[in-house]
Amino acid sequence: MHFKKISSISPMTIGLVFAGVSIATAGCSNNTEASVEEHKATTEQHLSGKPVVYQVFTRLYGNTNTTNKPWGTIEENGVGKFSDFTNIALQDIKSLGTTHVWYTGVSHHALINDYTDIGISNDDPDVVKGRAGSPYAVKDYYNVNPDLANDPANRLAEFEALISRTHQNGMSVIIDIVPNHVARLYQSAPQQAELPSNRNFGEQDNTKVEYDKNNNFYYIVGESFSVPDANNNYLPLGGEPHPLADGKFVETPAKWTGNGSRLAKPDANDWYETVKVNYGVKPDGSYDFPALPSEYAQMSSAEHFQFWQSQPITAIPDSWIKFKDITEYWLAKGVDGFRYDMAEMVPVEFWSYLNSNIKHINPKAFLLAEVYNPSLYRDYIHLGKMDYLYDKVDLYDTLKDIIHDKKSTVEIAVDQAKIVDIEAHMLNFLENHDEQRINTKDFAGSAEAALPAMVVSTTISRSPTLLYFGQDVGEKAQQDAGFGQATRTSIFDYVGVPAHQRWMNNGKFDGGQSTKSEKALRAYYQTLVNLSHTAPALQGDYFELDTINREVSKLTDTDVVAGYNDKTFAFSRYNDQQFMLVVTNFSAEEPTSYTLQLPEHLIVKASIQDGEYPLDNLLTIDDSSIGVSASQNLDSHLLKVVSQQGSMTITLQPLESKVLAINWE
């Protein structure tokens, strides 16, 4: 393995270069063939590095209203629109290194608003969470949330324009598919003739039986649905009077609830606003569809596609076909991928069927799944043909526990060892819409306290990085929006997101109202995430340095050197273009200093000859206001290799991380 000489370019500069090039692209408003090709070329080039997914909660992202009244109406608290994603907004998103924008809450879901004038039925507050509704209680998969459109009657065209605008700004589009459940009242509104005639879930079900392979739902025969008993967690519209909030919802016979409850009267903690979709899994758990042979774990998506094409259509449950039609509909509109909610609650054979069809249409489609059972990871990747799964149960939980002083950093290397064969398929994150915001007492207590964890999460593997909007400016999620609790930005109600609103600055996206610390945090994120997207070594190999340095530290005189300890972590990333060392200090109080040891095995694998090598800190931030998390690059970094053994002095301030790369010039 031989290293190519690479230029030493500040990641901050990289971010600014991206922004500069992109803004020039955004300025091309003509639709000439040349400009279209330029957009395509820019997108292809931008997508070539390690993926970065930026999740926006579409309803909240562009909302500038700061009222934040609990259970406030759309008129009182405001709502973001598709049109808020201007070229300036999209360039701001792209400046973080973003390759894929995940637009959450786009599908038309149940909500409390009156759109009967455009043919949409009203939803019942007794089976809607919050006033704005859960994005995971989809009411119509063939249209989009009318709240998000300037002209609700034209909402689909407005979203199609956003898809196009996102592409023109060099990024791909991801939307949610929620296969396990749909809204209690699913009603696909009449639309264009080319849509499938049998698109309404449950419309042709035999409701006289609990189960039938081609029923879309499971039924509690002989019983009618009853709404849950009200409690502190479940009180429609917070107790506000509403004509439909009468403690009743007509559903006869009752259906199984989305989380699998078979009670006609589910508990208030159940997913009572949804009904479970039947995929040909009998009530006893046995399957009523063709088994996928185990050898298909080693086969391609194309071979999976051929397997399902060879099966008689009568063998395929109706729900499978419905979701295939739904994904084909959105692919035809330019959507580039899907995030699948609670994928492990749906059989892996269905995913083989669906995903192989998607890849047959678009081989580059981005397929991300929410799976929380590590024992299922490999099945959903190899048999289900998922591109990426959440790395929540291991790495995310471990990093959070380290911050809470519940675990040692030694567990990071343990987690990585568990997934060594699939690490490139495990998407890493510290925030998303389901998780607590970093800048809360239940997570890190401050935005800066999680920066070492973010560095590790972003650089430790070849997997994509996910950022949630507002994370990069330290959103605190303190608002009592209505349904649910603070520490998570509400996904159920109309609300503003203060730190994001300050950065947004009424559509300028320049941080004009942001605090000094918010601007500094944003600079850190921009540098780190752009680095993750552009650094060649981060698409190469991983070598953990924790074990050897922990052993050496035990032999070190701690009165002289603080040593490598349970708050530090180090590893190497390398390929034939770049050699990189990542070192972090999770302690918020104590600096640390130690001699980092690089064993012979790593030196040989990386083809580093004996000698002395200066290293550049690629995580240097050109803004002194970052404070404790800054790496100002004032100290020198020199790697010494003697007899194929490497060593270098590491000094880290509290919460400091360094990403060090050999400067081959």
Side-chain angles (χ1 to χ4, degrees), residues 124-195:
D124 190 327
D126 291 301
V127 288
V128 175
K129 287 182 177 176
R131 187 182 293 275
S134 167
Y136 298 106
V138 176
K139 177 175 180 171
D140 183 1
Y141 265 115
Y142 288 95
N143 219 316
V144 296
N145 184 353
D147 280 351
L148 305 179
N150 295 319
D151 176 6
N154 197 41
R155 60 197 183 279
L156 192 56
E158 291 190 28
F159 181 58
E160 289 172 325
L162 175 55
I163 294 173
S164 177
R165 205 157 56 245
T166 306
H167 289 165
Q168 289 170 3
N169 281 280
M171 295 176 290
S172 295
V173 172
I174 299 170
I175 64 170
D176 288 280
I177 296 291
V178 188
N180 178 65
H181 48 270
V182 295
R184 205 110 219 166
L185 181 62
Y186 187 95
Q187 285 187 341
S188 185
Q191 290 184 62
Q192 55 266 40
E194 66 266 22
L195 293 183

Side-chain angles (χ1 to χ4, degrees), residues 316-332:
I316 307 300
D318 183 73
S319 295
W320 293 29
I321 298 170
K322 277 188 167 65
F323 274 100
K324 178 179 73 70
D325 291 342
I326 289 164
T327 54
E328 288 180 353
Y329 173 80
W330 289 110
L331 288 169

Side-chain angles (χ1 to χ4, degrees), residues 68-267:
N68 290 342
K69 175 184 175 182
W71 297 95
T73 65
I74 193 171
E75 292 80 13
E76 291 169 326
N77 284 358
V79 69
K81 303 287 185 180
F82 293 133
S83 59
D84 292 321
F85 293 90
T86 62
N87 284 333
I88 294 174
L90 290 168
Q91 287 303 312
D92 183 61
I93 292 172
K94 189 179 180 183
S95 73
L96 286 161
T98 303
T99 59
H100 295 72
V101 185
W102 167 14
Y103 291 105
T104 302
V106 163
S107 297
H108 183 188
H109 56 77
L111 52 86
I112 308 304
N113 241 336
D114 189 344
Y115 291 108
T116 53
D117 60 332
I118 58 172
I120 297 175
S121 60
N122 282 326
D123 293 302
D124 190 327
D126 291 301
V127 288
V128 175
K129 287 182 177 176
R131 187 182 293 275
S134 167
Y136 298 106
V138 176
K139 177 175 180 171
D140 183 1
Y141 265 115
Y142 288 95
N143 219 316
V144 296
N145 184 353
D147 280 351
L148 305 179
N150 295 319
D151 176 6
N154 197 41
R155 60 197 183 279
L156 192 56
E158 291 190 28
F159 181 58
E160 289 172 325
L162 175 55
I163 294 173
S164 177
R165 205 157 56 245
T166 306
H167 289 165
Q168 289 170 3
N169 281 280
M171 295 176 290
S172 295
V173 172
I174 299 170
I175 64 170
D176 288 280
I177 296 291
V178 188
N180 178 65
H181 48 270
V182 295
R184 205 110 219 166
L185 181 62
Y186 187 95
Q187 285 187 341
S188 185
Q191 290 184 62
Q192 55 266 40
E194 66 266 22
L195 293 183
S197 58
N198 181 29
R199 66 181 180 275
N200 265 321
F201 284 89
E203 196 169 55
Q204 299 181 2
D205 281 8
N206 176 5
T207 61
K208 296 180 180 179
V209 297
E210 180 182 25
Y211 166 84
D212 183 279
K213 182 178 77 174
N214 288 315
N215 276 358
N216 297 144
F217 304 127
Y218 299 92
Y219 295 91
I220 307 168
V221 179
E223 297 187 59
S224 296
F225 174 80
S226 295
V227 301
D229 291 329
N231 60 28
N232 291 335
N233 294 323
Y234 168 73
L235 195 62
L237 302 182
E240 177 185 314
H242 186 282
L244 296 178
D246 55 4
K248 300 175 182 178
F249 179 78
V250 178
E251 181 183 282
T252 304
K255 304 180 182 77
W256 289 14
T257 295
N259 63 322
S261 172
R262 304 184 187 189
L263 299 175
K265 183 176 182 176
D267 185 81

